[in-house]
Amino acid sequence: MILFEWGTYNALSTLKQAALLGTRITEIPPAVLSRRLPSGYYESYKKLSKEYFTSILAHGPYYSLSSEKGLKAHLSAIEKATLCGAEIYNYHLGKRVGDDLNYHLDVLKKFSEVNNDIIYSPEPATNIGEFGTLDELEELIKAAKEEDIKIIPSLQLENIFLNELGVYEKDDLDEAAEKADVDWWLKIFKRMDKISDYIMHFRFSQVIGLKYGKRFYKKRVPLGKGYPPVEPLTEALSLYLVDNATRGGFKKVLFVYTGLPEVKYRDLIDLYAMIMKKSIDKLMSKESQVEYGDFYKFMSSEEEE
């Protein structure tokens, strides 16, 4: 039992270093699943990851599921992820196609034909005009469960921030940042907890906004340089994590940092420390601790018997 499993994406070349830093999970990056590599690469990734980490995730390639070519690329990626030992397949839903719910349910059925043991984890939309609001994710996950497909939401937190607070439409990150307080995040977590039967799957990096024509795009930045604000988010995470760990029905929690490659390990450790520091007082509160006087009293009475 641990408060949460944490880690980032790694190629084969950085698995050992990432493990030595104390990370407990690894994610196979999209580039690995988009290319044809020697079979030994996937076998080695699985062998080392099983040795070093508690969980292996995979991030699907950035191909649109709205095209036949993109769908085939994902099916191939799932085969490679399976060879790597992935337990969760994270992927983007992409642009709208019309009857989105049934379309993506059919996609999941095709995914499941390749591997029906892996847990599929669709992300919230990454831009305006894409499928994947929280309402739509809930509908898709409910429909997939009825088909006995293993599925959980992928909680890419900055995407939720951008979508649910209308940043793509308003182009106002500061206004959204004021609304994204601790209570706002906790409502999101509690809502997603209800449909995350297996695992709570958090993902995060800070971003800034770039305008190109009329479109707004997110750009990842180092921790502390962008949005959403880290302080209320880490406070909300610590509250959720401690409550999850100390209430009945403990749920496994994964936290994947998806920041820029050149600073991802430093940022990940900084973020881990922020969450843990905020969790210490909550875990060590009087309410969370065992009353050891009563405990020893109980043990003494047992020994006498």
Side-chain angles (χ1 to χ4, degrees):
M1 181 177 181
I2 189 170
L3 196 61
F4 67 106
E5 309 277 354
W6 58 294
T8 187
Y9 54 94
N10 296 288
L12 179 61
S13 59
T14 57
L15 287 177
K16 185 174 183 179
Q17 294 90 321
L20 288 169
L21 289 172
T23 61
R24 296 172 61 92
I25 59 178
T26 185
E27 181 173 87
I28 309 156
V32 169
L33 302 179
S34 303
R35 299 158 55 193
R36 290 185 179 180
L37 298 169
S39 60
Y41 185 99
Y42 308 117
E43 293 165 1
S44 296
Y45 198 101
K46 179 178 180 178
K47 180 181 178 181
L48 290 176
S49 295
K50 292 287 186 183
E51 179 181 351
Y52 295 150
F53 304 100
T54 58
S55 299
I56 308 169
L57 292 77
H59 191 299
Y62 295 109
Y63 293 118
S64 174
L65 281 167
S66 61
S67 71
E68 188 65 27
K69 182 179 179 181
L71 176 57
K72 287 181 179 178
H74 278 276
L75 296 177
S76 175
I78 292 168
E79 291 177 350
K80 295 167 187 171
T82 302
L83 292 174
C84 289
E87 302 149 50
I88 296 174
Y89 185 78
N90 184 88
Y91 69 101
H92 295 276
L93 294 160
K95 65 181 182 181
R96 298 181 181 277
V97 296
D99 185 7
D100 294 290
L101 178 62
N102 287 320
Y103 180 84
H104 283 287
L105 182 58
D106 286 339
V107 166
L108 279 164
K109 289 177 182 177
K110 291 173 183 176
F111 283 3
S112 191
E113 288 173 5
V114 178
N115 186 337
N116 63 359
D117 291 322
I118 205 168
I119 299 171
Y120 295 101
S121 193
E123 277 195 29
T126 59
N127 212 326
I128 193 168
E130 293 184 357
F131 182 65
T133 64
L134 291 186
D135 288 341
E136 290 165 341
L137 279 180
E138 284 180 325
E139 290 179 1
L140 178 60
I141 287 165
K142 180 180 178 180
K145 287 178 182 178
E146 291 175 355
E147 299 291 336
D148 293 323
I149 296 169
K150 293 180 180 178
I151 187 169
I152 56 173
S154 170
L155 305 180
Q156 189 77 45
L157 298 172
E158 75 276 11
N159 287 1
I160 294 171
F161 167 80
L162 295 171
N163 274 305
E164 299 300 312
L165 294 175
V167 176
Y168 290 124
E169 293 83 7
K170 300 176 184 177
D171 188 20
D172 194 334
L173 285 160
D174 290 321
E175 178 185 336
E178 291 180 7
K179 295 177 180 177
D181 59 13
V182 174
D183 288 339
W184 185 83
W185 282 116
L186 283 173
K187 288 176 183 177
I188 298 289
F189 300 163
K190 290 175 182 178
R191 178 181 176 184
M192 293 295 100
D193 182 274
K194 293 177 181 178
I195 58 171
S196 299
D197 295 339
Y198 309 98
I199 295 164
M200 276 290 273
H201 175 197
F202 291 107
R203 308 171 65 81
F204 177 66
S205 69
Q206 280 192 307
V207 297
I208 57 172
L210 296 176
K211 288 295 291 287
Y212 183 77
K214 294 183 178 180
R215 300 203 70 181
F216 176 99
Y217 296 93
K218 74 172 188 178
K219 177 180 173 59
R220 291 180 297 167
V221 294
L223 190 66
K225 303 291 186 181
Y227 300 84
V230 174
E231 181 65 27
L233 175 56
T234 52
E235 175 63 19
L237 281 168
S238 70
L239 285 165
Y240 171 81
L241 292 167
V242 171
D243 180 63
N244 175 65
T246 55
R247 73 181 185 218
F250 175 79
K251 187 173 293 183
K252 185 175 182 179
V253 178
L254 304 180
F255 187 93
V256 182
Y257 184 65
T258 60
L260 295 170
E262 55 270 25
V263 292
K264 65 179 180 179
Y265 298 111
R266 289 180 180 274
D267 283 357
L268 171 60
I269 290 173
D270 285 344
L271 195 56
Y272 174 78
M274 290 178 198
I275 297 169
M276 292 303 291
K277 284 178 180 178
K278 290 179 181 295
S279 301
I280 289 171
D281 290 340
K282 301 175 182 68
L283 280 170
M284 296 301 143
S285 68
K286 187 76 171 177
E287 294 76 17
S288 296
Q289 293 184 48
V290 174
E291 291 292 341
Y292 287 107
D294 292 339
F295 174 77
Y296 286 121
K297 182 180 178 181
F298 173 76
M299 290 295 290
S300 296
S301 62
E302 269 200 341
E303 289 171 359
E304 289 172 4
E305 293 175 4

